[in-house]
Amino acid sequence: MGKSRSIAQQLIHAIADCSAIGESKRSYKLQHDGDTGYKIFGISYKKDLQKTARDLGNYIRENHPDIKRVRDITPDALQGYLQSKHSCSLSYAQRQISHIGKLQECCSHTYGRSDWHTDRIRVPARQNIQEDKIRTHVASEYQFSRLLGVMHTPRSGESWKALILSHDAGLRVQESAMVKFGRLSPSGGRWGCGTITLQGAEDGCKGGRWRTVDIITPDARERLQMCMSGLQPGDNVIRSKTGQPLDPGSIDRALQRAVQRTPDVRESWAANNGIHAFRKSFAQQSYDAARHSGSSKKEAVAYVNQQLGHGHDRSDLTRTYIQNLW
């Protein structure tokens, strides 16, 4: 294991080393009392583990730079990683804990015994559920313009792109962190301003569901094209200084720093707001565009759910995302 390998690279290597794609999972489990051990039999499961490995590796690099080898990963680092996901669903947090356990098994097989004491880590306590569910704040155009100006400066990183991806295409912060170059089409779509097609789990979509989002205005298309400038096929739209994908938590933290540096925005910015506030702005834009084109309220709401990647008949989300139902 070379000293220059990052934690993420070490984890990815261990996953590759433990890959058993093509082998019989059933036969192996019969021979090992129903346990798959360190072996990884499914392609989709392998991809999910790789995603968690990159995410965890990036978190450790940013927050625990003293940890250089996977065998030195601590329960505190793992708990901190899970805590950075506190606003995610319970099922997501539980899945991450399961992935961490599997990664430990893979690392023990590849690098020798790695005891991360995963029995000590817990699903993080979430904020007040009702407050977290509602989060009624919708970012205004003024707030969008001010915060984008503060974040889009030399040597400030690429988190500013997440504001545009959320405000102009309705992407979740996880999707913004993972979306690849090549998803933007500058023409077509319902409004003639182009589309963005998110390719399921590869682009961080919830539930791995593909979706195509209509871009609403020419200005939005221009800003999205600015985000893609200089990228090559396969590149993440948002990258860290090392060229690796950026942790979603880092994006929200960069936004909060920008809010603190912008007093006129800070005064009206709720403490628990993040990139999600701009996704709600996109929801209102989509609703207004549909209504102005002649859609009924019901049709416009259905269109917003489609744009956001929500399931059908999610009436419980209507008031959360669309503040002005006219």
Side-chain angles (χ1 to χ4, degrees), residues 41-278:
F41 293 94
I43 294 175
S44 62
Y45 182 51
K46 179 179 178 180
K47 289 181 178 178
D48 286 344
L49 283 175
Q50 289 171 330
K51 187 192 306 181
T52 298
R54 294 188 188 96
D55 197 24
L56 175 60
N58 290 337
Y59 172 83
I60 290 176
R61 184 191 68 238
E62 182 175 333
N63 297 278
H64 298 273
D66 55 311
I67 298 178
K68 303 297 184 184
R69 301 179 301 175
V70 292
R71 69 180 62 180
D72 298 325
I73 291 175
T74 65
D76 285 344
L78 295 173
Q79 190 64 57
Y81 168 69
L82 288 172
Q83 193 62 42
S84 73
K85 310 293 184 185
H86 68 88
S87 62
C88 295
S89 67
L90 174 62
S91 62
Y92 177 85
Q94 291 172 331
R95 185 166 65 251
Q96 293 304 93
I97 290 176
S98 174
H99 286 178
I100 287 169
K102 188 69 173 186
L103 288 172
Q104 178 184 251
E105 289 190 278
C106 293
C107 289
S108 292
H109 171 76
T110 301
Y111 303 119
R113 183 171 178 79
S114 301
D115 192 353
W116 296 351
H117 299 286
T118 54
D119 57 313
R120 300 181 189 175
I121 61 177
R122 297 289 183 269
V123 172
R126 299 183 66 196
Q127 297 172 354
N128 179 276
I129 299 300
Q130 186 66 19
E131 179 184 346
D132 183 64
K133 180 179 178 181
I134 295 176
R135 291 184 295 183
T136 56
H137 183 76
V138 178
S140 68
E141 292 304 301
Y142 177 78
Q143 290 172 331
F144 171 68
S145 177
R146 290 283 286 126
L147 291 172
L148 183 59
V150 169
M151 295 177 70
H152 190 194
T153 56
R155 297 184 296 280
S156 292
E158 296 190 349
S159 292
W160 60 271
K161 293 183 178 181
L163 270 66
I164 293 174
L165 290 167
S166 187
H167 177 271
D168 293 328
L171 271 62
R172 302 176 176 93
V173 65
Q174 179 79 11
E175 293 166 343
S176 294
M178 296 183 65
V179 67
K180 306 294 189 299
F181 174 75
R183 306 318 193 216
L184 174 66
S185 175
S187 61
R190 180 168 177 175
W191 314 111
C193 298
T195 60
I196 283 185
T197 297
L198 301 178
Q199 298 186 11
E202 187 175 356
D203 289 335
C205 293
K206 192 172 183 178
R209 296 183 291 270
W210 284 50
R211 81 173 183 275
T212 296
V213 180
D214 294 321
I215 301 167
I216 298 171
T217 68
D219 286 344
R221 176 178 58 196
E222 186 175 326
R223 285 189 293 264
L224 289 164
Q225 287 176 316
M226 178 175 65
C227 291
M228 314 293 176
S229 177
L231 298 178
Q232 301 296 320
D235 285 348
N236 281 79
V237 174
I238 302 178
R239 296 174 296 173
S240 67
K241 293 178 181 179
T242 62
Q244 297 299 310
L246 200 60
D247 177 69
S250 298
I251 294 173
D252 264 325
R253 287 191 291 274
L255 172 61
Q256 294 305 326
R257 290 193 296 269
V259 169
Q260 293 306 310
R261 296 199 304 269
T262 317
D264 53 335
V265 171
R266 186 175 65 237
E267 291 176 0
S268 59
W269 193 263
N272 64 331
N273 278 328
I275 296 294
H276 215 75
F278 299 98

